[in-house]
Structures are given as structure tokens and as C-alpha cells.
Amino acid sequence: MINLIMENNLPDFISHKPPMLKANIEGNELVIRVPLNQPPKPSSTGKTLIVASSNGNVATAAVVNGQPVVVGFNAYIKRD
């Protein structure tokens, strides 16, 4: 597993606060591991429940063409 890195020269839209997210390259695949929210948390609008999130764009230790791979995602479910 490759831990997150923090780079001082990254654009402002990339988080400098590492969430508990790990990323690595396995063969020809980018593998991202992040803890699930237990229980899922309501989104800001309350329309969905957030199962997992990178909490913004995060530079990882995974590198492609000499550049850190930046990850940003939300995994969610519909609210009942």
C-alpha cells in the first residue's frame, strides 16, 4: 500500500490534508482504498448518504509519468 503524499507545489484545488485514503498502482490498475463511513453520513443537501469520500482532490503517492495521481471521489447511496 502506498500512503498519501503532500506536495507544497500542488495547485490550490488539491487537498494538503490527507484523509485516510491509500492508493497504489497494481499492474495496469489504480487501486484506491478508503474507509467506509459507518454509518453513512448525510450529504450537504441531505438528498444522499455518503458511503465514502476523498473529501476533495487529494494527491497520492501513486505516480504516472512522473506526476502524483490526484484522486477526488464521492461514493453514495440514495436516502430512503
Side-chain angles (χ1 to χ4, degrees), residues 9-45:
N9 58 351
L10 294 172
D12 289 340
F13 69 89
I14 298 174
S15 175
H16 297 277
K17 291 182 179 179
M20 295 173 59
L21 179 145
K22 295 180 181 181
N24 67 321
I25 296 174
E26 294 180 6
N28 199 30
E29 296 180 339
L30 174 65
V31 178
I32 302 166
R33 297 185 192 279
V34 63
L36 296 174
N37 292 332
Q38 294 291 342
K41 298 177 183 178
S43 65
S44 61
T45 64

Side-chain angles (χ1 to χ4, degrees), residues 2-7 10 15-16 18 58-63 68-69:
I2 299 175
N3 292 324
L4 291 173
I5 60 171
M6 296 189 320
E7 303 252 348
L10 294 172
S15 175
H16 297 277
V58 178
T60 69
V63 175
V69 175

